Amino acid sequence: MKLSKISFVIGLLLLGTVAEAQTLHVIMFGNTLDEKLGRACGVCCNVTNNELASIADYIGYNYKTYPYTGVNCSNENLVDVLATLNCKKDDIVFFYYSGHGTRAVNDESQFPQMCLKYTYEEDKFFPVEKVSRLIAEKHPRLSIVMTDCCNNEVSGVSPKPASFETAGGNTSVDEKMMRNIKRLFCDFSGSITATGCKKGQYSWYYTLRGQERGYFTFSFWDALYQDSKQDSAPDWQSVMKSAYDKTSSQRFQDGSGKTFVQQPYYVCNVTNVNDDVKQPEQKQPETQKPESDPHSGNYWDSLVDHSLSMSRRGEIADKMLNTLFSSDAQVQIVGRNMTTTLAVEDIRVFLNRISLSQKIRKVNVVSQNKDGNGKINYIVVHEVYNK
Amino acid sequence: MKTKILLLILSVCLSSFLFPVLSDAQVKLTKEEEAELSFHIKNKIDEFQDYLGVIASGKTTVEVKDRAIKSALEMFIYKGEPYYDVAGIKNTGVKMQTSGSNGVVKSQLMKTYLNRLKGMVGGRYSDIVIEASDAVKVGNIYPANDGTGRYVSTAQIFQHFCGYSESGYKVYEDYTRKTVKIYIEKQTMMTPNGEIATFIVQLGDMAVKETWH
């Protein structure tokens, strides 16, 4: 009896915490100006941003990004963002870096140093392990530090992979996938630090049929989605193992025909919060998605808010058209790999279609260009569908 | 000699002009491209079926129905308007076939069909529900070889139509299997982010294959 009362109180406490709007913080550094890797780094950053924006929607978290690409991919900005990061205790922090990496001969860490700036200055390199430590000091519930970079010096080689599974279509999710993704991001606490390869190895970026990819980044997202499609509940160990297997099963060749393997290195130090605290008998309520407010400028969420009438969503589409876009704006719809173009539509056609859709649950904005009047004249988006 | 050189230049110019069109029309799609296109076609058809539900429903406003008609027509070649085909023959626009309770199959312009569907509620029925089956089957995608460089395919869809009286009774019901002609065009275009290549998928005539009452 006493135990059930304690469980009830713990349950109420948990409920209170769940009801509060938690945040998924995404700190992203991409060496997009690098002559060799820049384009692929840009694609990998877009892919990761797109996946995480969708995940924030599935798990009912606010989504906050701290993007540092191009000239902003610098040591100074990294130090600054980690110092000013403000986390609540149930928040999740996802750090991602795509670019060159290296290590010192006498480095004790298994993880590399990120080169960050495209004009390489050795003293500005930043160790991955230090990022994990600094984020841990902010006490988020879960932190994931993921870097797709070499763990050794590399020059003068171009990757030639055997094959790779693509994800060129829209994202399509069902209840089971969302439940499993929610389990991964909401039921675990601790930290995961992962990098594209073991020390002494290279992380491979390559172009396949004109599409840029980073092998580890793509393998990680494939692994996460494939594991979340399974009937059994996934955990981070199995996701990271799948990402490891996918990456290390491939062989890469440089221009001279020399073969390389890439084996990701990761430390997964997470526990299932439900294993520590027994949940009360009552079913845990669904996390409340932050209510969309068309007046707050959160137009995209309102446009796909199926609780609003189609008339209302049509009005929001008109308002977006008049306030945000130039009349001749074009929309490029890209697949999950961020490089396959699925369609290009006029803004009127696009907004009208989204406002009437019963299956689109989210529109992720990948990039946008504005005209001299500050209106968007070109926008790249990814659509997430309910299955 | 001059004439020969001119003819040679002309033939080289012509062949370089024609070659991309001819070769483009004959390029077979990769398996990966076919899989992505099939997925895209299914999404497109699902979207069209959803529009039919919105246009027919007694619960949506006229304004929303009009928006849905506009969006639905955007999915068809020439947006359902008249056009000249590759042989130069005028086509009055994309057609939709329907079958009535007497089993007679009628063909009408898509534009006309959608507007009639919009007006059906309030007449014989007080509400209409059109449900689509998930089992959209997309056939092989192959080059049209008609000089346009486009690809064609046919998809098969199933529709369930229910008409309700004012008192809520189901007064009409049918199941129809239809085919939809699909047109796919590979296009490259310049964007602020550089040149991109994409497949434009458009729907064509829809024909009744079977109806069950």
Side-chain angles (χ1 to χ4, degrees):
Chain A
M1 185 64 186
K2 199 176 174 186
L3 189 66
S4 71
K5 266 187 185 171
I6 292 168
S7 302
F8 181 68
V9 171
I10 291 170
L12 279 180
L13 285 172
L14 282 174
L15 200 151
T17 326
V18 167
E20 199 182 326
Q22 301 99 338
T23 303
L24 169 58
H25 303 266
V26 176
I27 305 169
M28 187 166 288
F29 282 74
N31 211 333
T32 54
L33 292 179
D34 182 81
E35 212 173 288
K36 269 158 70 181
L37 297 183
R39 280 175 63 92
C41 293
V43 170
C44 287
C45 285
N46 283 343
V47 164
T48 302
N49 186 37
N50 179 60
E51 298 297 341
L52 290 167
S54 302
I55 285 168
D57 174 54
Y58 308 153
I59 66 177
Y61 269 49
N62 291 324
Y63 188 63
K64 194 169 178 187
T65 52
Y66 311 75
Y68 297 94
T69 54
V71 291
N72 295 320
C73 178
S74 68
N75 175 297
E76 294 79 4
N77 283 335
L78 179 56
V79 171
D80 187 51
V81 72
L82 292 176
T84 54
L85 180 69
N86 191 7
C87 285
K88 290 193 195 120
K89 84 178 179 70
D90 267 309
D91 286 357
I92 302 168
V93 178
F94 196 111
F95 175 89
Y96 178 76
Y97 169 70
S98 172
H100 283 297
T102 189
R103 60 183 302 106
V105 179
N106 52 354
D107 249 339
E108 282 180 12
S109 170
Q110 297 294 314
F111 291 98
Q113 299 178 28
M114 296 171 285
C115 298
L116 292 168
K117 210 162 191 173
Y118 65 101
T119 51
Y120 301 104
E121 298 161 41
E122 201 278 325
D123 60 327
K124 299 284 171 66
F125 292 175
F126 203 99
V128 172
E129 214 165 83
K130 192 172 171 184
V131 174
S132 297
R133 213 178 58 238
L134 291 172
I135 291 174
E137 285 173 9
K138 303 287 177 174
H139 306 293
R141 179 175 48 74
L142 180 67
S143 90
I144 300 169
V145 173
M146 187 174 146
T147 58
D148 197 349
C149 60
C150 290
N151 214 341
N152 200 344
E153 277 292 344
V154 56
S155 64
V157 290
S158 66
K160 291 166 188 63
S163 69
F164 191 77
E165 196 181 330
T166 63
N170 295 311
T171 299
S172 187
V173 288
D174 58 21
E175 286 301 319
K176 182 170 73 184
M177 280 177 73
M178 281 194 286
R179 199 170 50 244
N180 282 337
I181 288 172
K182 197 169 176 180
R183 176 185 149 87
L184 283 171
F185 282 85
C186 296
D187 286 3
F188 287 89
S189 66
S191 68
I192 298 163
T193 308
T195 196
C197 57
K198 280 183 181 171
K199 69 176 178 182
Q201 294 182 341
Y202 305 137
S203 244
W204 294 86
Y205 285 81
Y206 62 95
T207 304
L208 187 65
R209 282 191 288 280
Q211 298 180 354
E212 314 281 348
R213 290 127 199 267
Y215 210 85
F216 174 58
T217 301
F218 273 64
S219 296
F220 172 79
W221 289 116
D222 260 8
L224 191 136
Y225 271 83
Q226 275 179 18
D227 275 24
S228 60
K229 279 181 189 166
Q230 307 301 319
D231 288 329
S232 56
D235 58 54
W236 281 109
Q237 285 290 356
S238 68
V239 170
M240 296 313 297
K241 175 78 170 54
S242 300
Y244 176 92
D245 290 344
K246 273 174 180 289
T247 311
S248 60
S249 65
Q250 296 299 319
R251 295 291 176 270
F252 304 88
Q253 281 185 339
D254 66 6
S256 68
K258 190 179 172 192
T259 305
F260 297 85
V261 287
Q262 178 184 342
Q263 295 161 301
Y265 181 76
Y266 61 90
V267 174
C268 187
N269 189 14
V270 292
T271 50
N272 189 327
V273 290
N274 297 328
D275 293 343
D276 298 341
V277 183
K278 205 78 189 144
Q279 291 294 299
E281 285 299 307
Q282 297 98 317
K283 194 180 167 198
Q284 191 174 323
E286 285 291 302
T287 310
Q288 290 298 306
K289 201 177 160 185
E291 198 176 321
S292 59
D293 175 10
H295 304 292
S296 69
N298 193 7
Y299 292 117
W300 289 108
D301 285 348
S302 306
L303 192 64
V304 293
D305 186 343
H306 295 197
S307 68
L308 299 176
S309 70
M310 280 185 183
S311 292
R312 182 74 193 106
R313 286 165 63 193
E315 286 166 16
I316 292 162
D318 288 344
K319 195 166 182 186
M320 287 176 80
L321 190 64
N322 295 329
T323 55
L324 300 179
F325 295 95
S326 64
S327 57
D328 59 348
Q330 296 262 297
V331 186
Q332 182 185 349
I333 299 135
V334 292
R336 264 186 74 203
N337 59 12
M338 296 289 111
T339 46
T340 301
T341 301
L342 297 171
V344 177
E345 292 178 346
D346 290 337
I347 188 65
R348 278 174 201 280
V349 174
F350 172 76
L351 290 174
N352 210 20
R353 180 169 65 79
I354 303 294
S355 73
L356 290 164
S357 173
Q358 295 160 61
K359 295 199 176 75
I360 295 176
R361 62 172 291 122
K362 191 145 183 9
V363 174
N364 292 333
V365 177
V366 179
S367 67
Q368 55 190 35
N369 292 63
K370 289 185 178 175
D371 64 13
N373 300 318
K375 298 263 178 121
I376 300 166
N377 57 10
Y378 196 82
I379 186 165
V380 182
V381 301
H382 176 73
E383 296 172 359
V384 181
Y385 284 73
N386 282 325
K387 255 185 191 166
Chain B
M1 187 61 185
K2 266 188 180 174
T3 324
K4 272 186 181 173
I5 292 169
L6 273 173
L7 277 172
L8 185 69
I9 292 170
L10 193 64
S11 65
V12 167
C13 288
L14 270 176
S15 64
S16 62
F17 173 72
L18 289 174
F19 181 72
V21 177
L22 293 175
S23 69
D24 199 30
Q26 288 159 0
V27 171
K28 211 172 175 304
L29 296 170
T30 63
K31 277 190 175 172
E32 196 179 57
E33 283 174 328
E34 269 208 56
E36 279 175 8
L37 275 170
S38 293
F39 183 77
H40 194 38
I41 290 166
K42 278 181 188 169
N43 269 350
K44 203 120 188 154
I45 291 172
D46 278 352
E47 211 171 287
F48 174 71
Q49 306 262 63
D50 284 348
Y51 289 141
L52 292 185
V54 172
I55 296 163
S57 171
K59 296 179 183 80
T60 37
T61 62
V62 174
E63 182 266 330
V64 170
K65 286 179 186 221
D66 287 340
R67 271 179 183 265
I69 290 174
K70 209 173 160 190
S71 282
L73 288 171
E74 288 283 348
M75 306 174 86
F76 290 89
I77 50 166
Y78 300 95
K79 300 176 185 178
E81 295 294 332
Y83 63 94
Y84 288 91
D85 66 17
V86 283
I89 298 163
K90 191 176 177 179
N91 188 311
T92 50
V94 177
K95 317 277 185 313
M96 168 66 117
Q97 281 190 346
T98 52
S99 58
S101 51
N102 51 7
V104 176
V105 174
K106 274 201 285 187
S107 196
Q108 55 191 315
L109 288 176
M110 184 60 71
K111 222 166 138 180
T112 313
Y113 165 76
L114 295 175
N115 279 295
R116 278 196 182 145
L117 188 64
K118 171 182 137 186
M120 277 176 99
V121 163
R124 192 175 161 198
Y125 310 114
S126 73
D127 196 13
I128 293 171
V129 175
I130 298 180
E131 285 173 342
S133 154
D134 285 340
V136 176
K137 284 184 191 166
V138 181
N140 291 336
I141 300 168
Y142 53 89
N145 286 332
D146 59 0
T148 60
R150 67 187 174 188
Y151 299 82
V152 287
S153 181
T154 306
Q156 186 172 260
I157 60 167
F158 294 89
Q159 284 176 342
H160 179 200
F161 182 105
C162 289
Y164 294 89
S165 69
E166 213 166 317
S167 47
Y169 287 107
K170 198 187 284 178
V171 289
Y172 180 76
E173 179 177 31
D174 71 29
Y175 295 85
T176 318
R177 180 168 69 88
K178 289 182 178 179
T179 55
V180 191
K181 184 96 179 169
I182 311 289
Y183 297 91
I184 302 144
E185 203 179 327
K186 195 169 189 174
Q187 277 192 2
T188 53
M189 55 186 89
M190 277 312 291
T191 75
N193 308 323
E195 192 179 76
I196 57 162
T198 185
F199 288 103
I200 310 286
V201 175
Q202 289 180 301
L203 309 183
D205 291 343
M206 300 181 92
V208 171
K209 290 293 162 194
E210 267 179 291
T211 305
W212 305 268
H213 290 101

